[in-house]
């Protein structure tokens, strides 16, 4: 399976995942997403389809490279 097919499969799985907001602003009375609310499910899905994301931070921007865990495919 190509890296593009794996990435598309991961996107479909992620968008069909029900995410819950665990953060709560008691003063204003609303809930919000915390990083772990969507990062943990995303990492689990990437592992299922055979992908690994590597984020690099620069002074002015950040990039994310997505690699196949078995194969040579890579997307930046």
């Amino acid at each position: 399976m190509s890296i593009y097919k794996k990435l598309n499969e991961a996107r479909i799985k992620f968008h069909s995942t029900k995410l819950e907001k665990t953060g709560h602003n008691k003063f204003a009375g609303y809930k919000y997403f915390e990083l772990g609310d969507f990062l943990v499910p995303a990492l689990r899905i990437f592992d299922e389809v055979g992908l690994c994301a590597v984020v690099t931070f620069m002074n002015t921007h950040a990039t994310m490279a997505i690699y196949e865990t078995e194969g040579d495919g890579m997307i930046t």
Side-chain angles (χ1 to χ4, degrees):
M1 182 183 316
S2 76
I3 190 168
Y4 295 102
K5 178 77 173 156
K6 290 178 182 180
L7 182 58
N8 197 49
E9 185 177 328
R11 287 174 175 163
I12 290 169
K13 287 182 178 213
F14 183 78
H15 287 293
S16 66
T17 301
K18 182 170 174 24
L19 301 176
E20 292 189 34
K21 298 177 181 180
T22 61
H24 183 245
N25 183 317
K26 295 176 185 173
F27 178 74
Y30 65 87
K31 291 191 171 192
Y32 56 90
F33 287 112
E34 293 188 338
L35 184 60
D37 296 338
F38 55 88
L39 187 60
V40 173
L43 290 173
R44 190 175 304 120
I45 291 167
F46 263 36
D47 187 51
E48 285 176 21
V49 300
L51 296 174
C52 175
V54 178
V55 179
T56 305
F57 295 96
M58 310 293 190
N59 288 337
T60 59
H61 66 281
T63 59
M64 180 169 64
I66 300 173
Y67 297 92
E68 287 183 294
T69 56
E70 297 177 11
D72 297 331
M74 191 269 285
I75 302 171
T76 303

